[in-house]
Amino acid sequence: MPQDLSDVDLKAIWRQGQIPTIFKRAKPQPVLIRVPFAEDNLEWLRDDRRTKPNWNSQFKAWEIPTVWFDSTIKLALIRYRQAYVIQLY
């Protein structure tokens, strides 16, 4: 269900750290994903793909290609049973 959220609300969602947050930015920027800390996050996000996600230290999040957006949402729901998805329009 779409919701209009303020910048303050979006920042709170991004910083919370308990629920994965997937942020699809404007092209050509990669998707950002924040997930709760786990030793296997890199392997989990990679999920048998040829390329590796990159760590973005500025946002403390993983960068993934835009084409991984839908499949990463599915992976997050399987692993965490919930996720925030932020998509610009």
Side-chain angles (χ1 to χ4, degrees):
M1 170 178 358
Q3 293 182 351
D4 291 329
L5 299 173
S6 71
D7 287 346
V8 173
D9 294 331
L10 290 173
K11 286 179 184 176
I13 289 170
W14 184 253
R15 292 181 179 148
Q16 51 77 36
Q18 299 295 317
I19 299 169
T21 305
I22 303 162
F23 178 36
K24 187 175 184 182
R25 302 183 290 174
K27 288 184 180 181
Q29 295 177 313
V31 172
L32 293 174
I33 178 168
R34 288 191 66 163
V35 292
F37 176 79
E39 291 287 332
D40 67 339
N41 279 342
L42 177 64
E43 293 82 19
W44 171 76
L45 281 170
R46 190 171 183 184
D47 189 42
D48 296 329
R49 295 176 176 121
R50 283 181 277 164
T51 59
K52 288 195 258 185
N54 295 318
W55 179 251
N56 182 315
S57 58
Q58 177 186 359
F59 296 112
K60 297 183 176 130
W62 294 99
E63 290 182 342
I64 59 171
T66 304
V67 297
W68 294 12
F69 182 67
D70 292 335
S71 62
T72 302
I73 293 170
K74 290 175 186 174
L75 285 172
L77 291 174
I78 290 167
R79 185 171 183 165
Y80 295 99
R81 312 202 34 88
Q82 57 188 341
Y84 289 112
V85 179
I86 302 169
Q87 193 169 353
L88 299 179
Y89 63 93

